[in-house]
Amino acid sequence: MQTLIDPFARPITYLRVSVTDRCDFRCTYCMSEHMQFLPKKDLLTLEELDRLCSAFVHMGVRKLRITGGEPLVRRDIMTFFRAMSRHLDSGALKELTLTTNGSQLARFAGELVDCGVRRINVSLDTLDADRFAAITRWGRLDQVLDGIRAATEAGLRVKINTVALKGVNEDELFTLVDWCAAEGHDLTFIEVMPMGDMGEELRLDQYWPLKDLRARLAERFTLTDLAESTGGPARYVRLKETGQKIGFITPLTHNFCESCNRVRVTCTGELYMCLGQEDMADLRAPLRASADDALLEQAIRAAISRKPKGHDFDYSRQKVQGQMSRNMSHTGG
Ligand code: SAM
Ligand code: SF4
């Protein structure tokens, strides 16, 4: 079958799928406290998710990242991971991975390894229990740290994703770096993005440009830029003193679109060709219209043929421009 190539000659090899909009946390930058979640009938069933992901794999997707909401709170989600592991076994899929808040890892780490998952991303913005509770509203730091420990013990490689929040976790920069070094975790910082309706004031207030964070790091460490690119918004440096690799995801200040190899599907089957644009294609209708995948594949190809060149966030004039109306929990980060 012909692989997916967009109009700018970029092969689409990386799919991120949100399997639920629900979450057991309510991180302040991601959700409001009283979220209205989608009715169940709107969500793709696990079987539909299987068909959808398998279609992408047949069309050349080599890396599949499961996200949410919190993917591990979706009922029977291990059935889905188990189903996807057949594409690893066949060699069609190179990597099956997930992004999680870590709360359910103590329960699922072993099974994830069984399903062929080797590396996971765990989101963690602070190592201070009170601060953790304030940021996540409903989360407990201990539970997440237990989960991360269980993941490591099960043999999973853990990358920590930390949202850089001015005036919130600024003073923990070196604590987090040191902790990751001691625990053997990679670490990536994410610049906070203008998603959802969290309120402009708050977000601009918390905006901590990663170039400032990087300058702070350079006060203590010798940084060497690494050339490697994942086709995504992450850039990496090596800290000479510890040998650690640190990533920076700067969707607002860095243009990474030229090498973009990814698309996203929401838990309702909306295919977003670009995180920063509103254009999307509904894949649920073709999924539900027939048991055969021909319509689905046609819809995917039509959508990829209009993948835009790049996105359009801009914090520059102290005003959030290009602000997206959907939350990260919707498109799945
Ligand atoms: N619940 C899982 C988790 O937290 O890892 C997966 C979904 S979450 C939406 C994916 C990532 O998006 C997390 O690392 C989270 O910190 C990040 N995120 C959410 N809202 C964000 C925002 N407004 N700006 C930057 N990152 C955000
Ligand atoms: Fe949940 Fe992840 Fe959003 Fe936090 S960032 S509320 S853990 S989906």
Side-chain angles (χ1 to χ4, degrees):
M1 187 175 298
Q2 222 179 347
T3 56
L4 296 170
I5 312 270
D6 82 357
F8 304 95
R10 297 169 297 192
I12 306 306
T13 55
Y14 181 7
L15 174 66
R16 302 168 74 107
V17 180
S18 170
V19 294
T20 178
D21 61 332
R22 281 156 212 264
C23 187
D24 51 345
F25 292 1
R26 292 289 180 280
C27 301
T28 50
Y29 47 72
C30 179
M31 292 189 183
S32 65
E33 184 151 21
H34 305 286
M35 285 291 286
Q36 283 288 342
F37 292 110
L38 296 162
K40 240 195 174 143
K41 66 168 175 36
D42 289 356
L43 300 192
L44 298 185
T45 65
L46 294 181
E47 293 74 21
E48 287 167 340
L49 283 167
D50 183 340
R51 277 179 64 200
L52 184 143
C53 294
S54 299
F56 272 100
V57 171
H58 291 138
M59 288 188 270
V61 159
R62 295 288 164 258
K63 177 169 175 179
L64 183 59
R65 178 175 295 281
I66 310 306
T67 176
E70 173 46 41
L72 297 181
V73 303
R74 169 113 194 213
R75 186 194 295 259
D76 286 337
I77 193 62
M78 284 304 137
T79 307
F80 174 71
F81 275 97
R82 183 76 56 195
M84 288 304 103
S85 71
R86 74 180 186 277
H87 298 306
L88 289 173
D89 296 341
S90 77
L93 190 63
K94 297 289 173 237
E95 186 170 20
L96 174 60
T97 185
L98 82 154
T99 300
T100 173
N101 66 23
S103 70
Q104 310 301 314
L105 278 176
R107 190 169 150 212
F108 290 126
E111 250 183 292
L112 287 168
V113 171
D114 253 14
C115 293
V117 176
R118 295 291 170 258
R119 303 190 301 174
I120 60 172
N121 289 357
V122 182
S123 305
L124 180 66
D125 303 333
T126 173
L127 290 166
D128 177 281
D130 292 336
R131 212 174 260 182
F132 187 86
I135 295 172
T136 63
R137 292 201 189 97
W138 295 4
R140 277 187 27 242
L141 179 65
D142 274 356
Q143 191 181 341
V144 170
L145 294 180
D146 285 349
I148 293 173
R149 211 167 299 122
T152 310
E153 281 168 12
L156 289 169
R157 189 144 181 84
V158 173
K159 177 159 81 73
I160 301 295
N161 279 344
T162 300
V163 177
L165 297 164
K166 198 179 187 71
V168 179
N169 59 6
E170 236 180 316
D171 59 349
E172 281 188 86
L173 175 62
F174 294 114
T175 318
L176 282 160
V177 170
D178 292 345
W179 179 76
C180 285
E183 300 290 321
H185 306 315
D186 287 329
L187 173 61
T188 289
F189 291 99
I190 309 177
E191 209 160 65
V192 77
M193 292 173 68
M195 288 284 176
D197 56 358
M198 266 6 78
E200 264 181 42
E201 296 292 320
L202 175 82
R203 199 62 55 72
L204 281 174
D205 210 44
Q206 295 188 347
Y207 179 52
W208 183 15
L210 291 193
K211 66 170 178 19
D212 295 356
L213 185 154
R214 192 190 148 113
R216 282 273 302 284
L217 265 185
E219 288 170 13
R220 185 179 302 179
F221 298 105
T222 317
L223 314 187
T224 316
D225 282 304
L226 298 179
E228 70 192 78
S229 167
T230 56
R235 294 287 176 271
Y236 296 94
V237 298
R238 176 90 55 202
L239 306 188
K240 187 174 166 207
E241 290 75 4
T242 63
Q244 264 169 299
K245 196 169 93 169
I246 306 279
F248 303 96
I249 298 184
T250 53
L252 301 166
T253 55
H254 204 110
N255 190 1
F256 55 86
C257 302
E258 67 281 356
S259 59
C260 182
N261 60 355
R262 61 197 60 197
V263 291
R264 295 173 164 77
V265 175
T266 69
C267 55
T268 56
E270 293 168 343
L271 170 62
Y272 282 92
M273 286 71 86
C274 172
L275 182 60
Q277 303 275 356
E278 298 282 2
D279 187 26
M280 59 89 169
D282 172 31
L283 299 181
R284 190 179 59 195
L287 263 169
R288 292 188 177 171
S290 84
D292 175 277
D293 289 339
L295 288 176
L296 173 65
E297 283 168 12
Q298 212 178 343
I300 293 173
R301 286 195 194 282
I304 298 301
S305 76
R306 41 173 225 272
K307 183 170 159 66
K309 192 164 181 195
H311 63 45
D312 197 24
F313 291 119
D314 186 5
Y315 267 125
S316 54
R317 274 171 284 156
Q318 283 302 296
K319 186 170 175 301
V320 182
Q321 298 196 332
Q323 176 151 353
M324 305 303 302
S325 56
R326 57 188 197 271
N327 293 16
M328 290 288 261
S329 59
H330 186 64
T331 25

Short mmCIF file of all heavy atoms in Angstrom, two decimals, residues 16 18 20 22-25 27-31 66-72 98-102 121-125 161-165 190-196 198 203 251-252 315 327-333, ligand 1:
data_model
loop_
_atom_site.label_atom_id
_atom_site.label_comp_id
_atom_site.label_asym_id
_atom_site.label_seq_id
_atom_site.Cartn_x
_atom_site.Cartn_y
_atom_site.Cartn_z
N ARG A 16 -0.17 10.19 16.82
CA ARG A 16 -0.50 10.29 18.24
C ARG A 16 -2.00 10.17 18.37
O ARG A 16 -2.74 10.89 17.69
CB ARG A 16 -0.04 11.64 18.80
CG ARG A 16 1.44 11.88 18.62
CD ARG A 16 1.79 13.32 18.90
NE ARG A 16 1.76 13.61 20.31
CZ ARG A 16 2.85 13.80 21.04
NH1 ARG A 16 4.04 13.74 20.50
NH2 ARG A 16 2.75 14.07 22.32
N SER A 18 -5.31 10.09 20.91
CA SER A 18 -5.92 10.28 22.22
C SER A 18 -7.04 9.25 22.38
O SER A 18 -7.94 9.18 21.56
CB SER A 18 -6.48 11.70 22.32
OG SER A 18 -7.25 11.81 23.49
N THR A 20 -8.94 8.91 25.22
CA THR A 20 -10.00 9.38 26.11
C THR A 20 -9.80 10.87 26.36
O THR A 20 -8.68 11.38 26.28
CB THR A 20 -9.99 8.64 27.47
OG1 THR A 20 -11.02 9.19 28.30
CG2 THR A 20 -8.66 8.79 28.20
N ARG A 22 -10.98 11.98 29.25
CA ARG A 22 -11.07 12.00 30.71
C ARG A 22 -9.71 11.93 31.36
O ARG A 22 -8.75 11.45 30.77
CB ARG A 22 -11.90 10.82 31.21
CG ARG A 22 -13.37 11.08 31.04
CD ARG A 22 -14.15 9.80 30.95
NE ARG A 22 -15.29 10.02 30.10
CZ ARG A 22 -16.51 10.32 30.55
NH1 ARG A 22 -16.75 10.38 31.84
NH2 ARG A 22 -17.48 10.56 29.71
N CYS A 23 -9.68 12.35 32.61
CA CYS A 23 -8.43 12.31 33.35
C CYS A 23 -8.72 12.30 34.83
O CYS A 23 -9.74 12.82 35.27
CB CYS A 23 -7.59 13.54 32.99
SG CYS A 23 -5.94 13.47 33.70
N ASP A 24 -7.81 11.70 35.60
CA ASP A 24 -7.96 11.71 37.05
C ASP A 24 -7.28 12.91 37.68
O ASP A 24 -7.32 13.09 38.89
CB ASP A 24 -7.43 10.39 37.66
CG ASP A 24 -6.04 10.03 37.17
OD1 ASP A 24 -5.57 10.62 36.17
OD2 ASP A 24 -5.40 9.18 37.80
N PHE A 25 -6.65 13.76 36.86
CA PHE A 25 -6.09 15.03 37.34
C PHE A 25 -6.83 16.18 36.66
O PHE A 25 -7.56 15.97 35.68
CB PHE A 25 -4.60 15.16 36.98
CG PHE A 25 -3.67 14.20 37.69
CD1 PHE A 25 -4.13 13.25 38.59
CD2 PHE A 25 -2.30 14.26 37.45
CE1 PHE A 25 -3.26 12.37 39.22
CE2 PHE A 25 -1.42 13.38 38.08
CZ PHE A 25 -1.89 12.44 38.96
N CYS A 27 -4.97 19.36 35.74
CA CYS A 27 -3.86 20.31 35.71
C CYS A 27 -4.36 21.68 35.27
O CYS A 27 -5.13 21.78 34.31
CB CYS A 27 -2.77 19.83 34.77
SG CYS A 27 -2.13 18.21 35.26
N THR A 28 -3.90 22.71 35.96
CA THR A 28 -4.47 24.05 35.76
C THR A 28 -4.29 24.55 34.33
O THR A 28 -5.16 25.23 33.81
CB THR A 28 -3.83 25.06 36.72
OG1 THR A 28 -2.41 24.91 36.63
CG2 THR A 28 -4.26 24.81 38.15
N TYR A 29 -3.15 24.19 33.68
CA TYR A 29 -2.89 24.69 32.33
C TYR A 29 -3.58 23.85 31.26
O TYR A 29 -3.49 24.13 30.07
CB TYR A 29 -1.38 24.75 32.05
CG TYR A 29 -0.64 23.49 32.44
CD1 TYR A 29 -0.79 22.32 31.72
CD2 TYR A 29 0.17 23.47 33.57
CE1 TYR A 29 -0.16 21.16 32.09
CE2 TYR A 29 0.82 22.30 33.95
CZ TYR A 29 0.65 21.15 33.20
OH TYR A 29 1.28 20.00 33.58
N CYS A 30 -4.24 22.77 31.68
CA CYS A 30 -4.80 21.83 30.71
C CYS A 30 -6.33 21.77 30.77
O CYS A 30 -6.99 21.70 29.74
CB CYS A 30 -4.21 20.45 30.95
SG CYS A 30 -4.82 19.17 29.84
N MET A 31 -6.87 21.76 31.99
CA MET A 31 -8.32 21.59 32.13
C MET A 31 -8.85 22.58 33.16
O MET A 31 -8.14 22.99 34.06
CB MET A 31 -8.63 20.18 32.66
CG MET A 31 -8.32 19.08 31.70
SD MET A 31 -8.97 17.52 32.33
CE MET A 31 -8.40 16.40 31.07
N ILE A 66 0.21 6.72 22.38
CA ILE A 66 -1.12 6.75 22.96
C ILE A 66 -1.15 7.81 24.05
O ILE A 66 -0.28 7.85 24.92
CB ILE A 66 -1.48 5.36 23.57
CG1 ILE A 66 -1.21 4.24 22.55
CG2 ILE A 66 -2.91 5.33 24.05
CD1 ILE A 66 -1.88 4.42 21.21
N THR A 67 -2.17 8.67 23.96
CA THR A 67 -2.23 9.76 24.93
C THR A 67 -3.69 10.04 25.27
O THR A 67 -4.57 9.22 25.03
CB THR A 67 -1.45 10.99 24.38
OG1 THR A 67 -1.59 12.07 25.30
CG2 THR A 67 -1.91 11.41 23.01
N GLY A 68 -3.96 11.20 25.88
CA GLY A 68 -5.32 11.50 26.29
C GLY A 68 -5.49 13.00 26.46
O GLY A 68 -4.74 13.77 25.87
N GLY A 69 -6.29 13.34 27.38
CA GLY A 69 -6.70 12.79 28.64
C GLY A 69 -5.64 11.89 29.26
O GLY A 69 -4.50 11.90 28.85
N GLU A 70 -6.04 11.11 30.20
CA GLU A 70 -5.10 10.15 30.76
C GLU A 70 -5.40 8.77 30.15
O GLU A 70 -6.44 8.17 30.46
CB GLU A 70 -5.20 10.14 32.29
CG GLU A 70 -4.38 9.06 32.97
CD GLU A 70 -2.94 8.96 32.43
OE1 GLU A 70 -2.31 9.99 32.18
OE2 GLU A 70 -2.47 7.83 32.25
N PRO A 71 -4.51 8.29 29.28
CA PRO A 71 -4.81 7.05 28.56
C PRO A 71 -5.07 5.86 29.49
O PRO A 71 -5.88 4.99 29.17
CB PRO A 71 -3.57 6.82 27.69
CG PRO A 71 -2.51 7.71 28.23
CD PRO A 71 -3.20 8.86 28.87
N LEU A 72 -4.38 5.83 30.62
CA LEU A 72 -4.50 4.65 31.47
C LEU A 72 -5.76 4.64 32.34
O LEU A 72 -5.99 3.69 33.07
CB LEU A 72 -3.24 4.48 32.33
CG LEU A 72 -1.94 4.24 31.54
CD1 LEU A 72 -0.75 4.06 32.46
CD2 LEU A 72 -2.08 3.04 30.60
N LEU A 98 3.52 5.64 25.12
CA LEU A 98 2.43 6.46 25.65
C LEU A 98 2.94 7.63 26.44
O LEU A 98 4.08 7.65 26.89
CB LEU A 98 1.45 5.61 26.48
CG LEU A 98 1.78 5.29 27.93
CD1 LEU A 98 0.50 5.06 28.71
CD2 LEU A 98 2.64 4.06 27.99
N THR A 99 2.06 8.61 26.58
CA THR A 99 2.30 9.75 27.45
C THR A 99 1.28 9.66 28.57
O THR A 99 0.08 9.54 28.31
CB THR A 99 2.13 11.09 26.70
OG1 THR A 99 3.05 11.11 25.62
CG2 THR A 99 2.41 12.27 27.61
N THR A 100 1.76 9.69 29.80
CA THR A 100 0.87 9.45 30.93
C THR A 100 1.21 10.38 32.09
O THR A 100 2.33 10.87 32.19
CB THR A 100 0.98 7.98 31.40
OG1 THR A 100 0.23 7.80 32.60
CG2 THR A 100 2.43 7.56 31.64
N ASN A 101 0.24 10.59 32.95
CA ASN A 101 0.53 11.36 34.16
C ASN A 101 1.11 10.45 35.25
O ASN A 101 1.46 10.92 36.32
CB ASN A 101 -0.71 12.11 34.65
CG ASN A 101 -1.82 11.18 35.14
OD1 ASN A 101 -1.59 10.03 35.51
ND2 ASN A 101 -3.04 11.69 35.15
N GLY A 102 1.20 9.18 35.00
CA GLY A 102 1.90 8.27 35.91
C GLY A 102 1.05 7.69 37.03
O GLY A 102 1.46 6.76 37.72
N ASN A 121 6.62 8.40 28.29
CA ASN A 121 6.79 9.77 28.79
C ASN A 121 5.87 9.95 29.99
O ASN A 121 4.68 9.62 29.91
CB ASN A 121 6.37 10.79 27.72
CG ASN A 121 7.36 10.85 26.57
OD1 ASN A 121 8.39 10.18 26.58
ND2 ASN A 121 7.04 11.66 25.58
N VAL A 122 6.43 10.45 31.06
CA VAL A 122 5.62 10.74 32.23
C VAL A 122 5.69 12.24 32.50
O VAL A 122 6.78 12.82 32.57
CB VAL A 122 6.10 9.96 33.48
CG1 VAL A 122 5.19 10.25 34.67
CG2 VAL A 122 6.14 8.46 33.20
N SER A 123 4.53 12.85 32.65
CA SER A 123 4.49 14.29 32.89
C SER A 123 4.62 14.56 34.39
O SER A 123 3.88 13.99 35.19
CB SER A 123 3.16 14.86 32.38
OG SER A 123 3.00 14.51 31.03
N LEU A 124 5.57 15.40 34.73
CA LEU A 124 5.82 15.71 36.14
C LEU A 124 6.44 17.10 36.21
O LEU A 124 7.54 17.31 35.68
CB LEU A 124 6.77 14.65 36.73
CG LEU A 124 7.17 14.80 38.20
CD1 LEU A 124 5.96 14.60 39.10
CD2 LEU A 124 8.25 13.77 38.57
N ASP A 125 5.75 18.03 36.83
CA ASP A 125 6.21 19.41 36.81
C ASP A 125 6.94 19.83 38.08
O ASP A 125 7.54 20.90 38.13
CB ASP A 125 5.01 20.37 36.62
CG ASP A 125 4.22 20.06 35.36
OD1 ASP A 125 4.82 19.52 34.41
OD2 ASP A 125 3.01 20.35 35.34
N ASN A 161 8.49 14.68 31.30
CA ASN A 161 8.11 15.91 30.61
C ASN A 161 7.67 16.93 31.65
O ASN A 161 6.75 16.66 32.43
CB ASN A 161 6.92 15.66 29.68
CG ASN A 161 7.35 15.07 28.35
OD1 ASN A 161 8.53 15.10 27.99
ND2 ASN A 161 6.39 14.54 27.62
N THR A 162 8.32 18.06 31.65
CA THR A 162 8.01 19.09 32.64
C THR A 162 7.58 20.37 31.95
O THR A 162 8.33 20.90 31.12
CB THR A 162 9.27 19.38 33.49
OG1 THR A 162 9.66 18.17 34.15
CG2 THR A 162 9.00 20.47 34.52
N VAL A 163 6.39 20.84 32.25
CA VAL A 163 5.95 22.12 31.71
C VAL A 163 6.63 23.23 32.51
O VAL A 163 6.58 23.23 33.75
CB VAL A 163 4.41 22.27 31.78
CG1 VAL A 163 3.97 23.64 31.28
CG2 VAL A 163 3.73 21.17 30.95
N ALA A 164 7.32 24.11 31.82
CA ALA A 164 8.04 25.20 32.48
C ALA A 164 7.06 26.31 32.82
O ALA A 164 6.43 26.88 31.93
CB ALA A 164 9.13 25.74 31.54
N LEU A 165 6.90 26.57 34.10
CA LEU A 165 5.90 27.53 34.55
C LEU A 165 6.56 28.62 35.41
O LEU A 165 7.04 28.34 36.51
CB LEU A 165 4.82 26.81 35.36
CG LEU A 165 4.00 25.76 34.60
CD1 LEU A 165 3.27 24.84 35.56
CD2 LEU A 165 3.02 26.43 33.64
N ILE A 190 8.79 21.60 28.50
CA ILE A 190 7.80 22.04 27.52
C ILE A 190 7.39 23.47 27.82
O ILE A 190 7.08 23.80 28.97
CB ILE A 190 6.51 21.17 27.58
CG1 ILE A 190 6.85 19.67 27.52
CG2 ILE A 190 5.54 21.55 26.50
CD1 ILE A 190 5.62 18.77 27.67
N GLU A 191 7.38 24.28 26.81
CA GLU A 191 6.90 25.65 26.98
C GLU A 191 5.39 25.63 27.03
O GLU A 191 4.75 24.93 26.23
CB GLU A 191 7.37 26.47 25.78
CG GLU A 191 7.58 27.92 26.07
CD GLU A 191 8.49 28.53 25.02
OE1 GLU A 191 8.09 28.59 23.86
OE2 GLU A 191 9.60 28.96 25.37
N VAL A 192 4.80 26.38 27.95
CA VAL A 192 3.35 26.34 28.10
C VAL A 192 2.69 26.94 26.86
O VAL A 192 3.18 27.91 26.28
CB VAL A 192 2.91 27.01 29.42
CG1 VAL A 192 2.93 28.53 29.34
CG2 VAL A 192 1.53 26.52 29.84
N MET A 193 1.64 26.30 26.39
CA MET A 193 0.99 26.70 25.14
C MET A 193 -0.39 27.29 25.37
O MET A 193 -1.07 26.90 26.31
CB MET A 193 0.84 25.48 24.22
CG MET A 193 2.14 24.94 23.71
SD MET A 193 1.87 23.41 22.84
CE MET A 193 1.00 23.99 21.42
N PRO A 194 -0.80 28.18 24.48
CA PRO A 194 -2.11 28.81 24.63
C PRO A 194 -3.23 27.89 24.16
O PRO A 194 -3.70 28.01 23.05
CB PRO A 194 -2.01 30.03 23.72
CG PRO A 194 -1.05 29.60 22.64
CD PRO A 194 -0.09 28.63 23.27
N MET A 195 -3.63 26.99 25.01
CA MET A 195 -4.67 26.03 24.64
C MET A 195 -5.93 26.28 25.46
O MET A 195 -5.83 26.65 26.63
CB MET A 195 -4.19 24.62 24.94
CG MET A 195 -3.13 24.15 24.00
SD MET A 195 -3.87 23.73 22.41
CE MET A 195 -2.44 23.34 21.48
N GLY A 196 -7.05 25.99 24.88
CA GLY A 196 -8.29 26.03 25.64
C GLY A 196 -8.66 27.43 26.10
O GLY A 196 -8.23 28.42 25.53
N MET A 198 -8.26 28.76 29.31
CA MET A 198 -7.74 28.89 30.68
C MET A 198 -7.61 30.35 31.13
O MET A 198 -7.37 30.61 32.28
CB MET A 198 -6.37 28.26 30.78
CG MET A 198 -6.21 26.83 31.23
SD MET A 198 -7.59 25.77 31.51
CE MET A 198 -8.02 25.33 29.88
N ARG A 203 -2.07 32.55 31.69
CA ARG A 203 -1.12 31.87 30.84
C ARG A 203 0.08 32.74 30.52
O ARG A 203 1.21 32.30 30.56
CB ARG A 203 -1.80 31.40 29.56
CG ARG A 203 -1.07 30.32 28.83
CD ARG A 203 -0.95 29.04 29.66
NE ARG A 203 -2.23 28.60 30.10
CZ ARG A 203 -3.12 28.06 29.30
NH1 ARG A 203 -2.87 27.89 28.05
NH2 ARG A 203 -4.27 27.67 29.77
N PRO A 251 7.16 25.04 21.16
CA PRO A 251 6.26 25.19 20.03
C PRO A 251 5.99 26.64 19.67
O PRO A 251 5.60 26.94 18.54
CB PRO A 251 4.98 24.50 20.49
CG PRO A 251 5.10 24.37 21.97
CD PRO A 251 6.55 24.40 22.31
N LEU A 252 6.20 27.56 20.61
CA LEU A 252 5.84 28.94 20.34
C LEU A 252 6.98 29.75 19.76
O LEU A 252 6.76 30.75 19.11
CB LEU A 252 5.38 29.61 21.63
CG LEU A 252 4.18 28.93 22.27
CD1 LEU A 252 3.99 29.42 23.68
CD2 LEU A 252 2.96 29.20 21.44
N TYR A 315 3.19 34.61 20.79
CA TYR A 315 3.00 35.32 22.05
C TYR A 315 3.53 36.75 21.96
O TYR A 315 3.51 37.48 22.92
CB TYR A 315 3.82 34.63 23.16
CG TYR A 315 3.07 33.59 23.97
CD1 TYR A 315 3.57 32.30 24.09
CD2 TYR A 315 1.91 33.93 24.66
CE1 TYR A 315 2.92 31.36 24.86
CE2 TYR A 315 1.27 32.98 25.42
CZ TYR A 315 1.76 31.70 25.52
OH TYR A 315 1.12 30.77 26.28
N ASN A 327 -8.39 22.13 23.98
CA ASN A 327 -7.39 21.87 25.01
C ASN A 327 -6.45 20.77 24.57
O ASN A 327 -6.77 19.98 23.71
CB ASN A 327 -8.05 21.39 26.30
CG ASN A 327 -8.88 22.45 26.94
OD1 ASN A 327 -9.21 23.44 26.30
ND2 ASN A 327 -9.20 22.27 28.19
N MET A 328 -5.30 20.68 25.25
CA MET A 328 -4.36 19.60 24.98
C MET A 328 -5.00 18.26 25.29
O MET A 328 -4.68 17.25 24.68
CB MET A 328 -3.10 19.74 25.83
CG MET A 328 -2.24 20.90 25.44
SD MET A 328 -1.41 20.58 23.89
CE MET A 328 0.17 20.07 24.53
N SER A 329 -5.91 18.24 26.26
CA SER A 329 -6.53 16.96 26.61
C SER A 329 -7.43 16.48 25.48
O SER A 329 -7.80 15.32 25.42
CB SER A 329 -7.32 17.08 27.91
OG SER A 329 -8.32 18.06 27.78
N HIS A 330 -7.78 17.41 24.59
CA HIS A 330 -8.61 17.04 23.44
C HIS A 330 -7.74 16.48 22.32
O HIS A 330 -7.99 15.37 21.83
CB HIS A 330 -9.40 18.25 22.97
CG HIS A 330 -10.39 17.94 21.90
ND1 HIS A 330 -11.46 17.10 22.11
CD2 HIS A 330 -10.45 18.30 20.60
CE1 HIS A 330 -12.16 16.99 20.98
NE2 HIS A 330 -11.56 17.71 20.06
N THR A 331 -6.72 17.24 21.92
CA THR A 331 -5.84 16.74 20.86
C THR A 331 -4.77 15.80 21.38
O THR A 331 -4.11 15.12 20.60
CB THR A 331 -5.12 17.88 20.10
OG1 THR A 331 -5.03 18.98 20.93
CG2 THR A 331 -5.81 18.18 18.81
N GLY A 332 -4.58 15.79 22.68
CA GLY A 332 -3.69 14.80 23.25
C GLY A 332 -2.23 15.17 23.29
O GLY A 332 -1.35 14.33 23.33
N GLY A 333 -1.94 16.47 23.32
CA GLY A 333 -0.56 16.92 23.59
C GLY A 333 0.42 16.53 22.53
O GLY A 333 0.91 15.49 22.37
N1 SAM B 1 -2.49 12.88 30.80
C1 SAM B 1 -1.26 12.60 30.13
C2 SAM B 1 -0.14 13.43 30.69
O1 SAM B 1 -0.41 14.39 31.42
O2 SAM B 1 1.01 13.12 30.40
C3 SAM B 1 -1.30 12.75 28.65
C4 SAM B 1 -2.08 13.89 28.07
S1 SAM B 1 -1.43 15.50 28.44
C5 SAM B 1 -2.60 16.54 27.61
C6 SAM B 1 0.02 15.54 27.42
C7 SAM B 1 1.03 16.60 27.76
O3 SAM B 1 0.49 17.86 27.46
C8 SAM B 1 1.46 16.66 29.21
O4 SAM B 1 2.88 16.55 29.28
C9 SAM B 1 1.02 18.02 29.67
O5 SAM B 1 1.90 18.56 30.60
C10 SAM B 1 1.01 18.78 28.38
N2 SAM B 1 0.16 19.96 28.39
C11 SAM B 1 -1.15 20.06 28.71
N3 SAM B 1 -1.58 21.33 28.58
C12 SAM B 1 -0.52 22.06 28.16
C13 SAM B 1 -0.31 23.43 27.83
N4 SAM B 1 -1.30 24.30 27.91
N5 SAM B 1 0.92 23.80 27.43
C14 SAM B 1 1.94 22.92 27.33
N6 SAM B 1 1.81 21.62 27.63
C15 SAM B 1 0.60 21.19 28.04
#
